[in-house]
Amino acid sequence: MRTDGAAAPRGRLLALTAGDAARVATFAALIAALGVPGSLALFGNAVPITLQTLGVMLAGAVLGARLGALSVATFLALVAAGLPLLAGGRGGLAVFAGPSAGYLVGFLAGALTVGLLVDRLRRPTFWPVLGACLVGGVAVVYAIGIPVQALLTGVPLTTTVQLSLVFLPGDVLKAAAAAAVTVGVLRAYPAARTARR
């Protein structure tokens, strides 16, 4: 790991400065902390509603594609190692074979997508950042999570889609919160725009 403060070479995804590593660890911890309030299962859905998708959106939007994805990957590695960091105190390899498995993979793809979209913005304002969070943090996560949930639970895809609609209002609110926080952070700390490259 690099500690000289220089930018990581483009060809070396895992080359991190000390500051990069601290940001990755901070956002991995944030995603874990957002699981502390617990989870809520509604209408018989095998996948609970949690606040952790908010942390995924924030990781991508604030840190950018590379560091945001690394923070989610760090979080998922800790979960796989057995730490009870998912909402409800779940952890271990078994969760990657359960109904939430696709959503967990979707977290990684979602953070990467949000980061890529926000990185392309010349000036991050609320509506474009909200759009990035909705595409990456909602649409991409659902696109991976719902089919995998249907496959693993044996519930027809159309039924799983209908059951998953219960997530949508909360996820839209989380996307709006992530967009507002991101715009505030990037305005208050403009150096974050260059640190994310």
Side-chain angles (χ1 to χ4, degrees):
M1 179 170 53
R2 300 178 53 164
T3 57
D4 59 2
R10 288 183 184 271
R12 295 176 59 194
L13 177 64
L14 298 178
L16 299 176
T17 66
D20 287 344
R23 284 185 278 276
V24 166
T26 298
F27 275 80
L30 172 65
I31 297 168
L34 287 170
V36 171
S39 60
L40 180 64
L42 294 178
F43 306 113
N45 199 322
V47 176
I49 295 173
T50 78
L51 289 175
Q52 290 181 306
T53 47
L54 172 60
V56 169
M57 292 183 226
L58 283 170
V62 173
L63 296 182
R66 184 175 75 99
L67 296 182
L70 282 174
S71 68
V72 174
T74 300
F75 169 76
L76 294 177
L78 294 172
V79 169
L83 295 180
L85 301 180
L86 292 175
R90 295 172 301 134
L93 289 174
V95 299
F96 293 94
S100 298
Y103 292 95
L104 298 177
V105 174
F107 281 3
L108 185 59
L112 180 66
T113 303
V114 171
L116 288 171
L117 293 173
V118 174
D119 285 346
R120 293 175 63 92
L121 299 175
R122 286 186 59 196
R123 187 166 161 266
T125 56
F126 177 79
W127 292 108
V129 175
L130 173 60
C133 290
L134 289 173
V135 170
V138 180
V140 169
V141 173
Y142 284 24
I144 299 171
I146 291 174
V148 173
Q149 179 185 350
L151 179 67
L152 293 177
T153 60
V155 176
L157 181 60
T158 53
T159 303
T160 305
V161 169
Q162 291 170 350
L163 288 171
S164 300
L165 291 177
V166 72
F167 297 137
L168 195 55
D171 284 341
V172 170
L173 289 175
K174 286 180 266 187
V181 169
T182 299
V183 171
V185 166
L186 296 181
R187 281 182 183 162
Y189 183 53
R193 285 287 284 175
T194 55
R196 62 194 284 136
R197 301 299 180 193

